[in-house]
Amino acid sequence: MTIGSKLSATQIALVASLGVSEIEVFRQLKVAIFSTGDELQTIDQPLAAGKIYDNLSSG
């Protein structure tokens, strides 16, 4: 096992069979990005005065 790898049931059983009762683990982060604001405009429209393209939601 290497740092950063996901643990399977088999690997957890292996660690337990070695007499290790605790290991330090971290849950994988889930991240979301929201773009909001009246100045945002979709990229399929001509850019109006005072507006910027919403480049975060184009994917």
Side-chain angles (χ1 to χ4, degrees):
M1 289 182 279
T2 60
I3 293 175
S5 63
K6 292 183 180 182
L7 296 177
S8 68
T10 304
Q11 291 169 319
I12 294 170
L14 173 63
V15 170
S17 73
L18 296 172
V20 178
S21 62
E22 294 183 13
I23 57 174
E24 188 173 359
V25 297
F26 298 93
R27 183 179 302 263
Q28 185 175 3
L29 296 177
K30 294 182 182 181
V31 177
I33 298 175
F34 298 95
S35 56
T36 63
D38 293 337
E39 75 280 5
L40 299 176
Q41 187 165 320
T42 60
I43 60 173
D44 60 344
Q45 299 292 319
L47 194 59
K51 302 287 184 174
I52 59 172
Y53 287 123
D54 183 4
N55 64 340
L56 295 178
S57 64
S58 62

